[in-house]
Amino acid sequence: MATWKDVEDAEPEFAARVRKIFDAGENKIIATLRADGSPRVSGIEAQFRDGEVTFGSMPGSRKGADLRRDPRFALHAPSPDPPQDKTTWAGDAKLSGRAVPVGALTEGPEGEHFRAEIDEVVVTRLNDSATMLVIESWRPGGGLRRVERA
C-alpha cells in the first residue's frame, strides 16, 4: 500500500493530472462493501492534503460501518461530460485501496476521519487525436502502465 505522496514522488506528472481531475468538483463517489459483500456506492467529499488522501463519514453512516468492517474501497473523481472537443477532455480518475481510521473529524460536522492506503490509481482518457482510449494505471512497486485500445 502507498500514500498519495508515494504516487506524487514516483510519477509527479501523472499524479498532477489525477489531482486535477479529482479537484474538478467537490463531490466524489466512494464504493464500499456491504456485510453481504455487495457494493454500496455513496457520495463523499475527499481531500488531498499533506501527502494523504482523506475523507470522512457521518456518525452512524452505513459507509463508515462498511469501512470499519472491510476497509477496501474505490474512490471515483467527479465525472462531468466530456467537452464537445473531446481532444481537450482530461479524462476520468479513480483510486482504490484500504481506508484507515484516524479518529474523529476535527473540522466541520461530527464524524469519523479516514486516510487512504492506495493500492491503485487509474486515469482513463482519450489519446491526443481522440481516436483511442488510453488507460494509465499506477500500483506501488509496479510503476505506471499505459494501455491503448481502439
Side-chain angles (χ1 to χ4, degrees):
M1 293 291 166
T3 65
W4 182 248
K5 181 166 180 10
D6 295 328
V7 180
E8 291 176 317
D9 289 348
E11 295 292 340
E13 188 273 332
F14 175 71
R17 286 190 291 114
V18 170
R19 178 79 186 265
K20 181 179 177 185
I21 295 167
F22 267 95
D23 287 347
E26 191 169 341
N27 295 312
K28 285 68 165 157
I29 302 295
I30 192 168
T32 59
L33 295 169
R34 299 172 190 254
D36 67 2
S38 63
R40 182 188 316 273
V41 177
S42 308
I44 196 166
E45 294 176 12
Q47 297 77 39
F48 290 72
R49 190 179 299 152
D50 299 325
E52 300 279 359
V53 176
T54 62
F55 46 86
S57 75
M58 295 170 31
S61 74
R62 299 310 318 148
K63 115 181 80 184
D66 289 347
L67 292 170
R68 284 189 306 281
R69 184 183 51 261
D70 185 330
R72 293 177 293 171
F73 74 93
L75 184 66
H76 195 281
S79 200
D81 290 338
Q84 186 139 10
D85 177 5
K86 294 191 182 357
T87 62
T88 65
W89 182 49
D92 176 80
K94 53 194 165 275
L95 60 89
S96 61
R98 287 176 171 57
V100 177
V102 293
L105 289 171
T106 57
E107 298 175 11
E110 199 177 320
E112 293 178 86
H113 189 216
F114 295 89
R115 71 174 174 81
E117 289 186 344
I118 299 169
D119 184 47
E120 183 178 45
V121 182
V122 178
V123 170
T124 304
R125 61 183 179 82
L126 297 173
N127 66 355
D128 292 342
S129 58
T131 58
M132 296 183 76
L133 191 63
V134 177
I135 301 140
E136 295 170 289
S137 60
W138 180 90
R139 290 180 156 271
L144 186 62
R145 182 174 174 228
R146 176 185 165 114
V147 175
E148 290 189 8
R149 295 190 180 150

